[in-house]
Amino acid sequence: MKCEQVDSIMKAGYVRGKQRYLCKTCNYYFTHSEKDLSLPSAVKRKRHQTTIIDIAKSLGVSNSTVSRALHGHADINPETRQAVLDKALQLDYQPNQLAYNLVKSKTNTIGMIVPEFHNPFFPNVIIGAHEVLTKAGYNLTIMQSNESYQVEISNTKAMLANRIDGLLISLTQETNNFEHLGVFEKRGIPLVLFNRVCEQINVPKVVVNDFEASFLAVEHLIMNGYERIAHLGGPLNLLVSQERLRGYRAAMEKHGKIIEDHMIIQGMLTQQKARIYGQYLLDLANRPDAIFAVNDSAAIEIMLIAKEKGISIPDELGVVGFSDNPESAYIGPGLTTIRQPTHEIGRTTADWILQLVDDEDVILPDKKILKTELIVRGSSRRCVRGNTKKVRIQ
């Protein structure tokens, strides 16, 4: 060895019974015997993980005997099984679960892709799914698409490469094409959509009653004396945005309220965009006296803008959100919102994916629609303040 670059050394066969090495940096070959102490210690170190073969050699039994003993086969003599287990403990044997699962064509791993982690909605769904999957002996691999269609595609490819048994996914705001999800159907890998779903793929879906919830939210504003109600919605490529807009329109029409197109804004709802849209609505010459927002983050941004402009909530402006994020209860005067059953969404999606994984012939409903609650707080109650009211939507 000439250059002393220890990290560049690799094994290169044997010469006259001695290990031969190659230094990739200086292209120098040299040999080494166990008694040669001049070789850098980095070359002497040899990583070895105990295998079934090591246990079998130590006990003088076959590899298959060790394998059957470790996996609890009934045809192994109890004394032999105990000897194998003792030797495995002594040699610190760690089973290669990945290799074992691949032999069974099953990894006991479910994948989950969510658009983002900032909103408490998705972490709570994950917790619900994790409870069900771990109890059933499955691992949960979670990836975030960061509201990017391209990242969502990369995530699905990574899930496929890791040989997941099934996938749970909520789509990004950008997703308009679903070919990357069709790959799972072609490969026979079960897929369940939740929250943000599409109708173009014939797989089970878990959602909430977005139409009915939005209808009740807007009707609540109308019953509290608000007349000019605006809607700050999400991207119309998402079914959830379409349903909440439909609920808004239905409530306005039922009560004979005028629907003004410039009072309905649909688009990507980042915090920055919500502030821009909120500023636009509250700067109108004949501004709305109430706003129904597609989520709590947008609703809270509107409340902050209103306070900056000196607009009184709820006297001059009523605000209703959707999701019931933790901060909604603490921002003054408290945000009226729709509470979603996040844990139940997670538990239902996990239960469905397990059924699909365990029985490819099982027939599940096309869609599970879960109930929500209207949580009434101070942001929308002109007459009575200070109390929180729950209304379950049937």
Side-chain angles (χ1 to χ4, degrees):
M1 182 176 177
K2 298 179 180 180
C3 66
E4 299 297 330
Q5 297 295 319
V6 175
D7 293 337
S8 298
I9 298 173
M10 62 179 291
K11 292 181 179 180
Y14 287 86
V15 176
R16 291 187 294 277
K18 293 184 177 182
Q19 177 69 61
R20 188 187 192 204
Y21 295 92
L22 166 66
C23 176
K24 295 184 289 182
T25 299
C26 58
N27 199 32
Y28 177 71
Y29 288 87
F30 59 98
T31 58
H32 163 67
S33 67
E34 290 296 327
K35 295 180 181 181
D36 182 3
L37 302 179
S38 63
L39 193 67
S41 59
V43 177
K44 297 177 187 178
R45 290 195 297 266
K46 183 179 180 182
R47 297 176 60 186
H48 177 71
Q49 185 171 337
T50 301
T51 66
I52 286 176
I53 297 174
D54 297 322
I55 298 173
K57 286 182 178 179
S58 298
L59 296 175
V61 298
S62 67
N63 298 340
S64 61
T65 296
V66 174
S67 178
R68 293 199 305 275
L70 291 173
H71 290 105
H73 284 243
D75 60 346
I76 298 296
N77 182 287
E79 294 181 359
T80 302
R81 177 183 293 109
Q82 190 59 51
V84 169
L85 295 177
D86 291 343
K87 182 60 68 172
L89 182 62
Q90 177 187 342
L91 297 179
D92 192 27
Y93 169 74
Q94 301 295 326
N96 188 336
Q97 193 62 42
L98 176 60
Y100 179 67
N101 287 337
L102 291 178
V103 169
K104 299 189 300 177
S105 297
K106 190 174 181 182
T107 62
N108 274 50
T109 299
I110 299 298
M112 179 180 252
I113 301 176
V114 298
E116 44 95 1
F117 292 139
H118 301 296
N119 187 332
F121 174 89
F122 291 108
N124 286 333
V125 172
I126 290 170
I127 291 171
H130 186 262
E131 290 173 354
V132 172
L133 294 173
T134 53
K135 186 176 181 180
Y138 281 76
N139 298 310
L140 179 61
T141 297
I142 305 163
M143 301 189 78
Q144 177 189 212
S145 57
N146 200 29
E147 294 291 12
S148 167
Y149 170 64
Q150 292 301 326
V151 174
E152 181 176 280
I153 292 176
S154 297
N155 287 349
T156 57
K157 289 180 179 179
M159 291 293 187
L160 289 169
N162 282 280
R163 297 174 178 267
I164 59 169
D165 295 330
L167 178 66
L168 309 172
I169 183 171
S170 185
L171 304 175
T172 77
Q173 294 187 42
E174 296 182 351
T175 304
N176 285 306
N177 187 296
F178 312 102
E179 291 182 7
H180 59 297
L181 300 180
V183 175
F184 289 85
E185 183 179 7
K186 292 178 182 177
R187 297 194 182 185
I189 300 173
L191 178 69
V192 175
L193 297 176
F194 68 95
N195 182 241
R196 299 183 188 174
V197 305
C198 63
E199 299 292 1
Q200 290 86 337
I201 301 179
N202 186 27
V203 298
K205 305 168 183 69
V206 179
V207 297
V208 299
N209 52 349
D210 289 294
F211 169 79
E212 292 86 353
S214 301
F215 179 94
L216 188 60
V218 176
E219 187 173 62
H220 162 75
L221 286 169
I222 294 171
M223 299 306 291
N224 274 267
Y226 297 100
E227 295 287 337
R228 304 189 70 249
I229 304 171
H231 176 49
L232 183 52
L236 277 177
N237 60 294
L238 293 178
L239 186 61
V240 62
S241 301
Q242 298 170 24
E243 288 296 285
R244 292 178 192 178
L245 173 61
R246 195 166 68 88
Y248 161 82
R249 286 185 173 277
M252 295 288 280
E253 291 170 357
K254 174 186 175 183
H255 293 276
K257 302 301 177 183
I258 298 174
I259 299 176
E260 303 174 66
D261 290 340
H262 70 282
M263 301 269 275
I264 299 175
I265 301 177
Q266 305 283 155
M268 299 291 181
L269 270 188
T270 61
Q271 183 177 4
Q272 182 181 12
K273 288 290 183 66
R275 173 156 283 269
I276 292 172
Y277 299 151
Q279 288 276 11
Y280 162 77
L281 288 171
L282 296 183
D283 283 342
L284 289 171
N286 190 14
R287 69 173 183 243
D289 63 356
I291 300 176
F292 167 54
V294 73
N295 60 40
D296 281 2
S297 298
I300 290 172
E301 199 64 36
I302 289 168
M303 292 176 70
L304 295 175
I305 296 170
K307 289 181 180 180
E308 293 168 7
K309 293 180 176 294
I311 300 172
S312 175
I313 298 174
D315 297 322
E316 298 177 276
L317 180 71
V319 182
V320 175
F322 206 113
S323 283
D324 194 29
N325 293 351
E327 62 269 27
S328 301
Y330 301 106
I331 185 172
L335 175 64
T336 295
T337 184
I338 300 293
R339 176 176 293 165
Q340 301 186 84
T342 50
H343 278 77
E344 189 178 353
I345 293 171
R347 295 181 66 85
T348 301
T349 55
D351 178 67
W352 277 16
I353 201 72
L354 289 178
Q355 291 186 54
L356 292 169
V357 168
D358 292 339
D359 183 0
E360 61 182 19
D361 295 322
V362 68
I363 299 177
L364 294 175
D366 294 333
K367 185 180 293 184
K368 175 75 171 181
I369 302 176
L370 300 176
K371 297 176 182 179
T372 55
E373 288 179 329
L374 173 64
I375 307 299
V376 179
R377 300 190 179 103
S379 69
S380 64
R381 303 191 69 175
R382 277 178 164 169
C383 301
V384 182
R385 303 185 197 176
N387 295 325
T388 295
K389 179 183 178 183
K390 299 181 181 180
V391 181
R392 176 167 288 276
I393 305 170
Q394 300 299 326

